[in-house]
Amino acid sequence: MGQAMTPQSKPNTDDIRIKEIKELVPPAHVFREYPVSNRAAQTTYTARQAIHRILHGADDRLLVVIGPCSIHDYDAAMEYAKRLTKAAEKYAEDLVVLMRVYFEKPRTTVGWKGLINDPRLDNTFRINEGIRLARRILLEINELDLPCATEFLDTITPQYTADLIAWGAIGARTTESQVHRELASGSPARSASRTVPTATCASRSTPSARPIRRTTSCR
């Protein structure tokens, strides 16, 4: 028979690839620090209603989501937002403009994961700092009367930001993820997947089936 195992000799089988665990600040604490203002709430609400009407054909304006690939700097983000606000006001009769405010970067292998995960861009991963900065940016952009769009990548971070998001994207890497589909279904923001699986369609006038791909709204 083998030697009896003691607590000292028992092998570790849990979190063997985890270097460090730090607690995230509760969402309620961040909400108290950066409460949504009436103006920001109205901006988000109005944009969501406009998007709903556009998707259902009740508004013939075009929905435009425009902005940088990702947000990495507060000053640069706010400068861009102020300039975009002027353009959004100028073309409001024809366009519903949302600023692309993406805080997370999907990575197949390695690379900077975005402002929330690494706000100082130095691999210190001060996530609590990134969460607070992300909410501050969203709040201040909405207070310019400019609604925000983002990608829902991590399924935890929307707890800190979703009330300030008018349009949420589900990216190409996560569009078939069950938890992201559930997230989109329950999100208060209008949500859309970037791509959908290739489908086959055929009609009487088209004997041969053809593959199609399109962007589709989840809500």
Side-chain angles (χ1 to χ4, degrees):
M1 296 181 64
Q3 186 177 0
M5 185 173 294
T6 66
Q8 292 76 19
S9 63
K10 183 176 68 174
N12 179 28
T13 58
D14 186 34
D15 289 340
I16 57 176
R17 297 187 180 183
I18 304 301
K19 181 179 179 181
E20 184 179 14
I21 296 177
K22 294 182 179 180
E23 290 185 3
L24 289 178
V25 59
H29 290 188
V30 180
F31 293 159
R32 284 197 295 269
E33 294 174 23
Y34 297 99
V36 60
S37 64
N38 290 338
R39 185 171 182 177
Q42 187 62 52
T43 298
T44 301
Y45 176 82
T46 301
R48 289 176 182 173
Q49 296 304 306
I51 293 168
H52 176 84
R53 291 193 298 271
I54 290 172
L55 292 176
H56 290 271
D59 190 330
D60 61 0
R61 290 180 296 174
L62 293 178
L63 173 63
V64 178
V65 178
I66 184 172
C69 179
S70 65
I71 300 298
H72 73 282
D73 177 81
Y74 167 82
D75 292 331
M78 295 311 301
E79 179 184 356
Y80 186 96
K82 290 173 183 176
R83 295 187 180 189
L84 184 59
T85 298
K86 296 178 181 178
E89 293 173 351
K90 181 178 180 180
Y91 298 105
E93 292 186 4
D94 300 307
L95 307 174
V96 174
V97 177
L98 278 66
M99 179 170 165
R100 177 186 165 111
V101 190
Y102 282 31
F103 297 117
E104 299 174 278
K105 300 294 293 180
R107 296 300 181 192
T108 303
T109 53
V110 296
W112 183 62
K113 291 183 66 178
L115 182 136
I116 288 180
N117 281 277
D118 189 15
R120 301 191 183 186
L121 287 81
D122 59 0
N123 293 322
T124 55
F125 304 107
R126 302 172 187 264
I127 297 177
N128 285 330
E129 179 182 323
I131 287 172
R132 288 183 168 95
L133 181 56
R135 184 165 179 84
R136 177 189 175 190
I137 291 172
L138 288 171
L139 181 59
E140 294 187 13
I141 292 176
N142 274 284
E143 288 178 341
L144 295 173
D145 298 327
L146 181 64
C148 298
T150 196
E151 178 179 353
F152 293 133
L153 184 58
D154 187 286
T155 55
I156 294 175
T157 53
Q159 297 179 48
Y160 300 89
T161 61
D163 60 324
L164 292 167
I165 298 297
W167 173 269
I170 305 299
R173 291 174 176 84
T174 49
T175 191
E176 296 186 54
S177 163
Q178 179 66 25
V179 292
H180 286 84
R181 289 176 180 268
E182 293 170 355
L183 172 64
S185 179
S187 171
R190 297 298 166 184
S191 304
S193 59
R194 182 176 177 183
T195 58
V196 294
T198 299
T200 300
C201 67
S203 64
R204 294 179 180 177
S205 60
T206 309
S208 60
R210 63 190 187 281
I212 58 171
R213 296 184 69 90
R214 62 184 177 90
T215 297
T216 183
S217 172
C218 296
R219 284 192 66 198

